[in-house]
């Protein structure tokens, strides 16, 4: 990252980032201007939450059809049901943590991990960054794993930047939070789900998507896990081109989320949803 006083804002000068930011802003403005949003925004929000959770679970290895997620209630079992249940719980919880995020991002991340784990791990491993020698269960992310000391330092640095405030566009901040959490994998499990929930919190809390109707998780999942992992590897490299490509990837994901909710608005307008 840059050594300027606002390193997040400095990322806005990377090639292509400004164009991504503007494209996302225009797309979000369009869906918020849809006539359905004036009367039925709560329904759009609920549907976006469900679709976002489905997309996030897919990226963590539980790629269920939307209707399967909608009809199932047995999310306590091992494997994929537990992953889908964790994604649904995180999506529901994220909206309750916006004010806390502004004051204590690390407290929110701990809460998100606690919600995701849902009793699936020993209590002393839940809701805290991993300690030296502890393993990480995140099989779909194939990146070098930073040690516990590096994790602690980088988390503290990220939290300090967020608390201090930034002039960076919401897309840039959300992309960095998402990328940093997945590069670090600070928890013993569910890091992908937590990272995508944190991205959602930034996009909503920044005012870009205040009603949480643009599920970026859908857009991250649509190109597939390989494209997601390749973009993340660019961020983890720390090279300007790789970081810019990751931010652009997050921008495309947000726009695909907008497209998803636009389709929901059109279906509601036709009386088909």
């Amino acid at each position: 990252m840059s050594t300027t006083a606002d390193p997040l804002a400095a990322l806005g000068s990377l090639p292509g980032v400004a164009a991504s930011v503007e494209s996302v802003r225009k797309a979000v403005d369009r869906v918020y201007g849809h006539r359905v949003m004036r009367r039925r925004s709560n329904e759009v929000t609920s549907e976006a939450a469900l679709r976002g959770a489905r997309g996030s679970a897919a990226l963590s290895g539980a790629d269920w059809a939307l209707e399967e997620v909608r009809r199932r209630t047995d999310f306590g079992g091992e494997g994929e049901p537990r992953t889908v249940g964790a994604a649904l719980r995180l999506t529901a919880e994220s909206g309750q943590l916006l004010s806390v995020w502004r004051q204590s991002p690390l407290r929110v991340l701990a809460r998100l991990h606690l919600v995701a784990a849902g009793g699936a791990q020993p209590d002393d491993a839940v809701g805290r960054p991993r300690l030296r020698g502890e393993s990480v269960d995140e099989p779909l992310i194939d990146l070098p794993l930073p040690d516990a000391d590096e994790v602690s330092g980088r988390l503290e640095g990220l939290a300090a930047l967020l608390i201090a405030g930034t002039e960076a566009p919401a897309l840039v901040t959300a992309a960095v939070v998402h990328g940093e959490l997945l590069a670090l994998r600070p928890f013993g499990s569910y890091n992908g789900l937590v990272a995508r929930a944190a991205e959602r919190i930034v996009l909503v809390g920044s005012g870009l998507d205040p009603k949480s109707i643009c599920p970026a998780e859908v857009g991250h999942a649509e190109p597939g896990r390989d494209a997601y992992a390749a973009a993340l590897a660019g961020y983890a490299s720390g090279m300007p081109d790789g970081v810019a490509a990751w931010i652009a990837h997050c921008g495309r994901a947000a726009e695909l989320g907008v497209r998803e909710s636009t389709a929901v608005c059109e279906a509601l307008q036709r009386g088909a949803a």
Side-chain angles (χ1 to χ4, degrees):
M1 285 188 181
S2 166
T3 57
T4 63
D6 190 348
L8 292 177
L11 297 178
S13 64
L14 292 174
V17 169
S20 293
V21 167
E22 181 65 9
S23 183
V24 169
R25 185 189 64 77
K26 289 180 177 178
V28 173
D29 285 349
R30 283 195 298 271
V31 72
Y32 270 83
H34 196 287
R35 63 192 305 175
V36 165
M37 287 297 296
R38 293 194 293 270
R39 297 175 289 108
R40 305 179 70 177
S41 64
N42 288 343
E43 294 172 72
V44 181
T45 295
S46 296
E47 188 64 19
L50 183 70
R51 295 179 185 219
R54 193 218 73 82
S56 192
L59 287 168
S60 288
D63 192 0
W64 291 12
L66 179 63
E67 291 310 314
E68 183 78 356
V69 178
R70 199 188 302 279
R71 74 173 182 82
R72 291 276 289 269
T73 58
D74 54 328
F75 299 118
E78 294 299 323
E80 292 187 5
R82 188 177 294 278
T83 299
V84 175
L88 289 166
R89 290 193 299 274
L90 283 173
T91 301
E93 184 76 9
S94 296
Q96 311 302 314
L97 298 172
L98 297 173
S99 61
V100 183
W101 176 265
R102 299 183 186 100
Q103 300 171 357
S104 181
L106 297 184
R107 181 179 164 195
V108 169
L109 293 176
R111 174 62 184 169
L112 291 174
H113 187 243
L114 181 68
V115 169
Q121 291 182 295
D123 288 347
D124 65 353
V126 173
R128 62 157 174 80
R130 55 188 167 84
L131 304 177
R132 188 175 302 175
E134 290 183 337
S135 62
V136 172
D137 179 16
E138 202 73 44
L140 300 176
I141 303 298
D142 186 20
L143 291 172
L145 188 67
D147 65 30
D149 290 339
E150 181 179 352
V151 168
S152 178
R154 285 172 63 176
L155 279 179
E156 291 288 348
L158 178 63
L161 287 173
L162 296 170
I163 292 169
T166 177
E167 295 298 317
L171 171 64
V172 171
T173 304
V176 168
V177 168
H178 183 169
E180 194 73 356
L181 290 174
L182 266 184
L184 293 177
R185 280 147 292 162
F187 301 110
S189 61
Y190 299 108
N191 290 286
L193 295 177
V194 168
R196 291 183 289 274
E199 179 187 52
R200 173 183 286 270
I201 288 172
V202 174
L203 293 174
V204 173
S206 67
L208 177 65
D209 180 21
K211 294 183 183 293
S212 194
I213 63 166
C214 305
E217 304 95 326
V218 171
H220 286 301
E222 185 168 316
R225 291 197 295 269
D226 288 346
Y228 182 70
L232 176 64
Y235 175 85
S237 75
M239 300 300 292
D241 287 352
V243 174
W246 169 251
I247 294 171
H249 169 88
C250 291
R252 288 191 295 273
E255 290 189 67
L256 289 170
V258 168
R259 187 184 70 181
E260 189 84 357
S261 286
T262 300
V264 170
C265 288
E266 294 295 331
L268 287 170
Q269 187 167 281
R270 294 192 305 268

